[in-house]
Structures are given as structure tokens and as C-alpha cells.
Amino acid sequence: MSLPRYKITMLALSLGVASAFVGCSSNPSKKEVVDTGPQSSEQAYFEKAQKSLDRGQYLEATKSLEAIDTYYPTGQYAQQAQLELLYSKFKQKDYEGAIALAERFIRLNPQHPNVDYAYYVRGVSNMELNYDSLLRYTSLQQSHRDISYLKVAYQNFVDLIRRFPSSQYSVDAAQRMKFIGQELAESEMNAARFNVKRKAWVAAAERSQWVIEHYPQTPQIPEALATLAYSYDQLGDKATSQQYIEVLKLNYPSLVNKNGTVNMRAARKEGNWINRATLGILGRESKSTTPDTTTTETEPKRSLLNRVSFGLMGNSGKEETQETTKAPVETPKTERSWTNRLSFGLLDKPEKAAEGATTAPAASSTEPDDAAQ
């Protein structure tokens, strides 16, 4: 008995598909790269890496340094190669890789004379991971988003200063901690503003109280005091609200209206409706005019072209701020020692051959607390 025509057709299609799958699976795979061992001596690899670093060829330097780390883990240049590799990863903006290398170096070489450098780069790398590339060129604030990496970076700098108080990186780490503190305070106040809008007065008061207790030197203190006074007033606790209003009258009188109530719009520095509708591109932002305020800092002016182009063109007034959160400034293309490179140009500064020009400023010359603007 012969099979029906449609069954013969289905059988032929099934056999064809099965043959295709078998043919694909039987194709020879690509040749795997076989490690044939070191191609040069340890010193040759290290010298090649030095030349690549001097030229700014960090990818090539990484290959040579990784070869030393792989083939000569106990060699003469092993520990130095790990530090150079840490620097190279950082310059390539591979911050996750830099963090992993720093933690490994700290774990394996806790008594190394330059282990403080690994602590420092770990903190800076975590700080960099918190900033999206777009945020560097706009007026958007990272503190209104996820700040988990900033918290980790803050703890990294705390560990550095606690373990190495006399380290050459401790001063810059302290400045970065001050900047991070302002970011953390702004994050808390952003949550407090949200709670005020939804009339969650207890939550708003708790957030503001946290800022006052843990970030007393930040520019967010006036708004935190005003929010506390306003929240307690809405909760019906007039006595506690009046206490905070008296503090505002003494320190920030512009945040108290003539009738004795809190001026929340001035405290939040809200702009006019045009400014808010255009996400800060057009219009003016209202600013507190308290003459005796010590925590409020003047913000740099941004041109209209800069605001319309989201910071891509025109004068942003943030030139110094950007350098604090980017990779440290490179020195001119001259012969540089490993000490100069690992310290971001702070130590063993090379002399520039042309017309006695000085080297580029180090990253720590820009105060991180300016970035809070």
C-alpha cells in the first residue's frame, strides 16, 4: 500500500530539514587560538609597555602588561606591571576592570609601598561609574538618579584616608568625599521634594532631618530646614515648626515670608514656568538672595547656546568641574617615569623640551566640591 502524496511530501521536508541541521552542526568550527607561551622576555614586554604608555597607546600597553601578569607572575616586574595595568585600564575608561585589578592588588600586596594608589583608583573608578556619559554635558543631575556607585566610592575614600592618612592621594580623596557628600544630600532632598508633593509629611521630614544630621556642611541645609518647618506645620506640630522657622530667620531670612510662613519655592530654588517647561533650557531660575549664607555657592553662568545644545556648545561654566570626574589630565608627550604616570602627574614631573613650558595641571588642582553646582 503506497503512502498518500501529502505524507510523502511531509516526509521529504522533514528529511531535508534534518539533513540541513546535521550539515550545519558538522561544519568545522573556527580554529581556536592556542597559547604558545611567552614570545619575549619579561624585560622586553615591560619596555614595550612603557613605550606604548608614553605614546598613549593604552590598548597595546595592556597587551604587554597582561602578558607579564600571565607568564611572569613572580617576576621582577610583576607588581609594577600590575600597577601599570591598573593605570592603563583606567585610561581606557574600563572602570570595572580597573576596580577588579585594584581589589586584586590590594588583596595580594597589602604591604606594597604603592598600595594606596590602588585604593585611590578604586574609589575614582567607582565614582566614574556613577556618571552616564550624557550627564557630563547637560544640566541633568546624577544625584536625582541611582547613586549606589557614589556610596561605594565614598567608602573607598574613607578606607584610603583611614589606612593612609599621610598618603599623597588623601587630600584629593577628601575633596572628592566632600563633593560626594553634596551629591548624597541632594539625593535625599530630591526624595524629600517628592514626598512633599505627595503630602507624605513624615517621610519628607525624615529625609530632611537625615540631611541636617549627616551632611551639615552641604548647600542643601537651607532647604532641609525649610522642609522640616513646613512638614511639621502641615502635621499640626506648630511648636516644632516654629523652632525651625526661628532658625531660618536667623540664618536664611529670605526663606521666611513676611507673615512668618516658610517660602518653599525660594527654598527649592524653583524657576519660573518657562524654565520648568523647557527643563531648564530657557527662563531664569530663582535663587536665594540671603547675604549671610555660607553654604550657598555662586553657580557659573551658562550661555543660551550651551543650554539649548544641552551643554555641547557654548560656554557651560563647568570646565573645571568636568576635569574632576574625568580621567586625570595627561602631561605633554615627553619621557615620563612610572611614578609620574601612576600619580597622574603629581610626582616626578617631566620637563617639557619646548620653550620651557610647564606640565599640565594634576587632577587634584580642581576642587571636586565645585562640581556640586
mmCIF file of all heavy atoms in Angstrom, residues 41-51 64-65 68 77 80-81 84 338 341:
data_model
loop_
_atom_site.group_PDB
_atom_site.id
_atom_site.type_symbol
_atom_site.label_atom_id
_atom_site.label_comp_id
_atom_site.label_asym_id
_atom_site.label_seq_id
_atom_site.Cartn_x
_atom_site.Cartn_y
_atom_site.Cartn_z
ATOM 1 N N SER A 41 60.968 38.171 26.467
ATOM 2 C CA SER A 41 61.359 38.132 27.877
ATOM 3 C C SER A 41 60.520 39.112 28.674
ATOM 4 O O SER A 41 59.841 39.986 28.124
ATOM 5 C CB SER A 41 62.844 38.483 28.011
ATOM 6 O OG SER A 41 63.068 39.823 27.592
ATOM 7 N N GLU A 42 60.581 38.960 29.983
ATOM 8 C CA GLU A 42 59.810 39.862 30.850
ATOM 9 C C GLU A 42 60.238 41.305 30.656
ATOM 10 O O GLU A 42 59.398 42.212 30.563
ATOM 11 C CB GLU A 42 59.987 39.444 32.312
ATOM 12 C CG GLU A 42 59.206 40.306 33.290
ATOM 13 C CD GLU A 42 59.486 39.955 34.733
ATOM 14 O OE1 GLU A 42 60.440 39.186 34.986
ATOM 15 O OE2 GLU A 42 58.767 40.459 35.614
ATOM 16 N N GLN A 43 61.508 41.543 30.580
ATOM 17 C CA GLN A 43 62.003 42.904 30.402
ATOM 18 C C GLN A 43 61.562 43.478 29.064
ATOM 19 O O GLN A 43 61.203 44.661 28.980
ATOM 20 C CB GLN A 43 63.532 42.923 30.504
ATOM 21 C CG GLN A 43 64.125 44.320 30.417
ATOM 22 C CD GLN A 43 65.634 44.321 30.631
ATOM 23 O OE1 GLN A 43 66.230 43.271 30.853
ATOM 24 N NE2 GLN A 43 66.241 45.485 30.560
ATOM 25 N N ALA A 44 61.564 42.653 28.005
ATOM 26 C CA ALA A 44 61.140 43.130 26.689
ATOM 27 C C ALA A 44 59.667 43.527 26.699
ATOM 28 O O ALA A 44 59.281 44.553 26.130
ATOM 29 C CB ALA A 44 61.404 42.065 25.632
ATOM 30 N N TYR A 45 58.853 42.711 27.358
ATOM 31 C CA TYR A 45 57.436 43.055 27.480
ATOM 32 C C TYR A 45 57.260 44.369 28.234
ATOM 33 O O TYR A 45 56.455 45.230 27.843
ATOM 34 C CB TYR A 45 56.691 41.940 28.219
ATOM 35 C CG TYR A 45 56.203 40.817 27.350
ATOM 36 C CD1 TYR A 45 56.527 39.491 27.644
ATOM 37 C CD2 TYR A 45 55.390 41.060 26.250
ATOM 38 C CE1 TYR A 45 56.063 38.444 26.858
ATOM 39 C CE2 TYR A 45 54.929 40.022 25.459
ATOM 40 C CZ TYR A 45 55.269 38.716 25.762
ATOM 41 O OH TYR A 45 54.807 37.695 24.977
ATOM 42 N N PHE A 46 58.015 44.530 29.311
ATOM 43 C CA PHE A 46 57.864 45.726 30.135
ATOM 44 C C PHE A 46 58.317 46.972 29.375
ATOM 45 O O PHE A 46 57.662 48.022 29.439
ATOM 46 C CB PHE A 46 58.671 45.564 31.426
ATOM 47 C CG PHE A 46 58.389 46.636 32.446
ATOM 48 C CD1 PHE A 46 57.212 46.616 33.191
ATOM 49 C CD2 PHE A 46 59.286 47.671 32.665
ATOM 50 C CE1 PHE A 46 56.940 47.597 34.135
ATOM 51 C CE2 PHE A 46 59.022 48.653 33.598
ATOM 52 C CZ PHE A 46 57.849 48.608 34.333
ATOM 53 N N GLU A 47 59.419 46.888 28.664
ATOM 54 C CA GLU A 47 59.895 48.030 27.882
ATOM 55 C C GLU A 47 58.914 48.393 26.773
ATOM 56 O O GLU A 47 58.685 49.570 26.489
ATOM 57 C CB GLU A 47 61.277 47.719 27.312
ATOM 58 C CG GLU A 47 62.373 47.634 28.372
ATOM 59 C CD GLU A 47 63.718 47.232 27.784
ATOM 60 O OE1 GLU A 47 63.761 46.911 26.568
ATOM 61 O OE2 GLU A 47 64.714 47.237 28.532
ATOM 62 N N LYS A 48 58.319 47.380 26.150
ATOM 63 C CA LYS A 48 57.333 47.643 25.112
ATOM 64 C C LYS A 48 56.108 48.333 25.702
ATOM 65 O O LYS A 48 55.535 49.251 25.093
ATOM 66 C CB LYS A 48 56.932 46.326 24.451
ATOM 67 C CG LYS A 48 55.949 46.493 23.300
ATOM 68 C CD LYS A 48 55.609 45.149 22.672
ATOM 69 C CE LYS A 48 54.609 45.314 21.531
ATOM 70 N NZ LYS A 48 54.249 44.000 20.924
ATOM 71 N N ALA A 49 55.712 47.902 26.893
ATOM 72 C CA ALA A 49 54.569 48.539 27.552
ATOM 73 C C ALA A 49 54.874 49.988 27.904
ATOM 74 O O ALA A 49 54.010 50.865 27.760
ATOM 75 C CB ALA A 49 54.198 47.751 28.818
ATOM 76 N N GLN A 50 56.109 50.266 28.341
ATOM 77 C CA GLN A 50 56.493 51.629 28.678
ATOM 78 C C GLN A 50 56.401 52.533 27.455
ATOM 79 O O GLN A 50 55.898 53.664 27.528
ATOM 80 C CB GLN A 50 57.914 51.644 29.246
ATOM 81 C CG GLN A 50 58.097 50.933 30.569
ATOM 82 C CD GLN A 50 57.341 51.617 31.696
ATOM 83 O OE1 GLN A 50 57.446 52.815 31.883
ATOM 84 N NE2 GLN A 50 56.566 50.846 32.430
ATOM 85 N N LYS A 51 56.878 52.054 26.325
ATOM 86 C CA LYS A 51 56.819 52.858 25.100
ATOM 87 C C LYS A 51 55.374 53.109 24.683
ATOM 88 O O LYS A 51 55.017 54.204 24.249
ATOM 89 C CB LYS A 51 57.574 52.146 23.980
ATOM 90 C CG LYS A 51 59.086 52.062 24.215
ATOM 91 C CD LYS A 51 59.782 51.324 23.071
ATOM 92 C CE LYS A 51 61.288 51.233 23.324
ATOM 93 N NZ LYS A 51 61.988 50.495 22.243
ATOM 94 N N SER A 64 50.821 43.986 26.534
ATOM 95 C CA SER A 64 52.148 43.648 27.052
ATOM 96 C C SER A 64 52.120 43.427 28.555
ATOM 97 O O SER A 64 52.746 42.495 29.081
ATOM 98 C CB SER A 64 53.138 44.762 26.701
ATOM 99 O OG SER A 64 53.249 44.921 25.297
ATOM 100 N N LEU A 65 51.370 44.258 29.261
ATOM 101 C CA LEU A 65 51.304 44.139 30.715
ATOM 102 C C LEU A 65 50.549 42.881 31.126
ATOM 103 O O LEU A 65 50.893 42.232 32.117
ATOM 104 C CB LEU A 65 50.635 45.387 31.299
ATOM 105 C CG LEU A 65 51.423 46.691 31.120
ATOM 106 C CD1 LEU A 65 50.564 47.886 31.502
ATOM 107 C CD2 LEU A 65 52.702 46.666 31.942
ATOM 108 N N ILE A 68 52.907 39.978 30.914
ATOM 109 C CA ILE A 68 53.762 39.869 32.104
ATOM 110 C C ILE A 68 52.988 39.246 33.253
ATOM 111 O O ILE A 68 53.487 38.374 33.973
ATOM 112 C CB ILE A 68 54.308 41.256 32.494
ATOM 113 C CG1 ILE A 68 55.203 41.816 31.389
ATOM 114 C CG2 ILE A 68 55.075 41.178 33.813
ATOM 115 C CD1 ILE A 68 55.694 43.221 31.660
ATOM 116 N N TYR A 77 59.248 42.362 37.383
ATOM 117 C CA TYR A 77 58.369 43.490 37.070
ATOM 118 C C TYR A 77 56.894 43.162 37.339
ATOM 119 O O TYR A 77 56.019 43.910 36.906
ATOM 120 C CB TYR A 77 58.518 43.875 35.595
ATOM 121 C CG TYR A 77 59.916 44.278 35.200
ATOM 122 C CD1 TYR A 77 60.762 43.384 34.563
ATOM 123 C CD2 TYR A 77 60.393 45.558 35.462
ATOM 124 C CE1 TYR A 77 62.046 43.745 34.192
ATOM 125 C CE2 TYR A 77 61.672 45.928 35.089
ATOM 126 C CZ TYR A 77 62.496 45.018 34.462
ATOM 127 O OH TYR A 77 63.765 45.382 34.099
ATOM 128 N N GLN A 80 54.976 45.833 39.550
ATOM 129 C CA GLN A 80 54.933 47.096 38.837
ATOM 130 C C GLN A 80 54.039 47.008 37.609
ATOM 131 O O GLN A 80 53.313 47.953 37.273
ATOM 132 C CB GLN A 80 56.351 47.509 38.424
ATOM 133 C CG GLN A 80 56.430 48.882 37.779
ATOM 134 C CD GLN A 80 55.861 49.955 38.682
ATOM 135 O OE1 GLN A 80 56.147 49.974 39.887
ATOM 136 N NE2 GLN A 80 55.061 50.833 38.131
ATOM 137 N N ALA A 81 54.061 45.859 36.940
ATOM 138 C CA ALA A 81 53.197 45.667 35.773
ATOM 139 C C ALA A 81 51.726 45.701 36.169
ATOM 140 O O ALA A 81 50.878 46.204 35.417
ATOM 141 C CB ALA A 81 53.539 44.348 35.088
ATOM 142 N N GLU A 84 50.859 49.330 36.527
ATOM 143 C CA GLU A 84 50.780 49.932 35.198
ATOM 144 C C GLU A 84 49.515 49.480 34.480
ATOM 145 O O GLU A 84 48.863 50.267 33.775
ATOM 146 C CB GLU A 84 52.006 49.529 34.379
ATOM 147 C CG GLU A 84 53.337 50.015 34.935
ATOM 148 C CD GLU A 84 53.659 51.432 34.511
ATOM 149 O OE1 GLU A 84 52.786 52.088 33.913
ATOM 150 O OE2 GLU A 84 54.790 51.887 34.766
ATOM 151 N N TRP A 338 57.412 55.974 35.555
ATOM 152 C CA TRP A 338 56.204 55.289 36.025
ATOM 153 C C TRP A 338 55.613 56.003 37.233
ATOM 154 O O TRP A 338 54.407 56.001 37.453
ATOM 155 C CB TRP A 338 56.528 53.832 36.357
ATOM 156 C CG TRP A 338 57.413 53.649 37.559
ATOM 157 C CD1 TRP A 338 58.763 53.557 37.575
ATOM 158 C CD2 TRP A 338 56.990 53.547 38.915
ATOM 159 N NE1 TRP A 338 59.221 53.405 38.848
ATOM 160 C CE2 TRP A 338 58.150 53.385 39.709
ATOM 161 C CE3 TRP A 338 55.757 53.564 39.547
ATOM 162 C CZ2 TRP A 338 58.100 53.259 41.076
ATOM 163 C CZ3 TRP A 338 55.717 53.438 40.925
ATOM 164 C CH2 TRP A 338 56.879 53.281 41.664
ATOM 165 N N ARG A 341 53.362 58.759 35.934
ATOM 166 C CA ARG A 341 52.113 58.272 35.352
ATOM 167 C C ARG A 341 51.167 57.746 36.423
ATOM 168 O O ARG A 341 49.970 58.012 36.399
ATOM 169 C CB ARG A 341 52.405 57.181 34.322
ATOM 170 C CG ARG A 341 52.977 57.708 33.016
ATOM 171 C CD ARG A 341 52.888 56.627 31.945
ATOM 172 N NE ARG A 341 53.655 55.446 32.310
ATOM 173 C CZ ARG A 341 54.943 55.277 32.022
ATOM 174 N NH1 ARG A 341 55.592 56.217 31.371
ATOM 175 N NH2 ARG A 341 55.580 54.184 32.378
#
